[in-house]
Amino acid sequence: MKDKDLKRLVYDKYSQIAARNEKSTCCCSGADKTEVYNIQTGDYSELKGYEQDADLGLGCGVPTKFAGLKPGDTVVDLGSGAGNDCFVARAEVGESGTVIGVDFSEAMIDKARNNAAKRSYSNVEFRQGDIEEMPVNGNSVDVVISNCVLNLLPSKDKIFHEIFRVLKPGGHFCISDVVTIGTMPETLRGAAEMYVGCIAGAIPKNEYMDKILDAGFVSLDVVKETPIEIPDEILSEYLTAEETEQFKRGGSPVFSVTVVGTKSECGCKSGCCS
């Protein structure tokens, strides 16, 4: 599929999810089949600022837990959905901080804005836009967070350069995402539902890390890594019984990782001041 078609696929699916009121789970049973909307939702329930009605269960980690947020920080959440990570971030940065959520889906933006308005949050805002061309000024953000969104983007190189652009010198990001370690069957990679389910768009871990470093970040740390087990009922839709058994025997090639990367204090790309 072309990049614009993949984006439309993601836009349509997540706009449909935004229109629903219930939280998604790893595999949601529809009337006719099981669909993948997410793969491994982190538990936010013990975090300060958590709002259950803003948690659609679409993540693969808890980046706000590892983001090192401080009072007064300006934070941008990429793929902010119904506002879950933004509200948790707000509890960390306090009234003196600012939280900006960016999402491609207008339906998600509307849902997040309604959630913020119900709580009279004055320092949380949501902007509709493509995070490959972020509606955020350069050198203006202390921390960028994102939860299981970047693997949905066709141009991952571009988004890491965008993250670098908006961060202040010395700023950092904390991203939970999906990567592969090993080989994934082409039938899974080619399935549209597996793409919007955050699996088919994942790239090898080493390639993912290289793209971050190529964007100019001076340090990179994987703070959490967890294998993701794809349920048998999902695999059976795309693989034969023999292929499913072989896939499982080799161990999961799909992992959730939470990564922290830092922009240099001088604001230069890695190595340019050495």
Side-chain angles (χ1 to χ4, degrees):
M1 296 178 70
K2 296 180 180 179
D3 286 0
K4 66 178 181 178
D5 295 327
L6 289 172
K7 285 187 175 182
R8 174 51 61 178
L9 180 69
V10 171
Y11 179 92
D12 290 344
K13 177 59 69 175
Y14 284 88
S15 294
Q16 291 169 16
I17 294 171
R20 301 174 180 175
N21 293 319
E22 76 273 11
K23 179 177 178 179
S24 295
T25 57
C26 180
C27 43
C28 300
S29 297
D32 301 314
K33 66 171 187 172
T34 300
E35 295 182 298
V36 182
Y37 296 146
N38 75 334
I39 57 268
Q40 184 173 313
T41 303
D43 182 10
Y44 281 81
S45 60
E46 300 300 318
L47 296 184
K48 184 180 178 183
Y50 173 71
E51 303 287 355
Q52 186 173 3
D53 60 346
D55 182 6
L56 300 181
L58 300 172
C60 59
V62 189
T64 41
K65 184 176 180 179
F66 302 96
L69 302 178
K70 305 185 302 297
D73 276 348
T74 296
V75 181
V76 168
D77 178 23
L78 303 180
S80 49
N84 182 36
D85 278 288
C86 288
F87 301 146
V88 173
R90 179 189 178 276
E92 295 293 326
V93 303
E95 293 293 339
S96 61
T98 301
V99 181
I100 302 167
V102 179
D103 203 282
F104 192 41
S105 165
E106 293 175 69
M108 282 292 188
I109 291 293
D110 289 343
K111 193 176 190 73
R113 286 173 177 166
N114 288 334
N115 284 333
K118 284 191 296 184
R119 296 163 175 85
S120 300
Y121 290 157
S122 60
N123 61 335
V124 180
E125 66 170 295
F126 295 93
R127 302 176 184 177
Q128 194 273 334
D130 189 335
I131 61 179
E132 291 180 357
E133 297 179 1
M134 224 181 292
V136 178
N137 291 333
N139 299 308
S140 64
V141 176
D142 296 293
V143 185
V144 172
I145 58 175
S146 185
N147 194 352
C148 207
V149 172
L150 304 194
N151 59 78
L152 295 171
L153 298 171
S155 179
K156 295 173 180 61
D157 302 78
K158 191 170 183 179
I159 184 53
F160 288 123
H161 284 277
E162 272 290 274
I163 293 171
F164 187 92
R165 178 185 68 81
V166 303
L167 281 172
K168 297 176 182 177
H172 66 276
F173 69 77
C174 184
I175 293 169
S176 292
D177 214 345
V178 178
V179 297
T180 60
I181 301 176
T183 303
M184 187 184 301
E186 286 302 314
T187 48
L188 293 184
R189 282 210 175 275
E193 287 296 328
M194 298 301 281
Y195 189 88
V196 298
C198 302
I199 293 176
I203 62 175
K205 178 185 174 183
N206 59 344
E207 182 180 339
Y208 190 93
M209 302 304 165
D210 285 345
K211 289 182 183 297
I212 296 173
L213 294 174
D214 288 346
F217 291 94
V218 295
S219 67
L220 186 59
D221 186 25
V222 178
V223 296
K224 187 172 182 180
E225 181 173 299
T226 308
I228 295 170
E229 300 298 331
I230 304 174
D232 286 356
E233 61 266 33
I234 300 295
L235 293 174
S236 65
E237 292 196 22
Y238 305 101
L239 304 177
T240 65
E242 183 179 350
E243 289 171 334
T244 297
E245 182 59 32
Q246 184 177 359
F247 179 87
K248 294 171 64 178
R249 193 165 52 242
S252 175
V254 189
F255 282 73
S256 165
V257 294
T258 298
V259 184
V260 176
T262 304
K263 185 174 179 176
S264 68
E265 291 289 344
C266 68
C268 296
K269 291 184 179 295
S270 177
C272 72
C273 288
S274 59

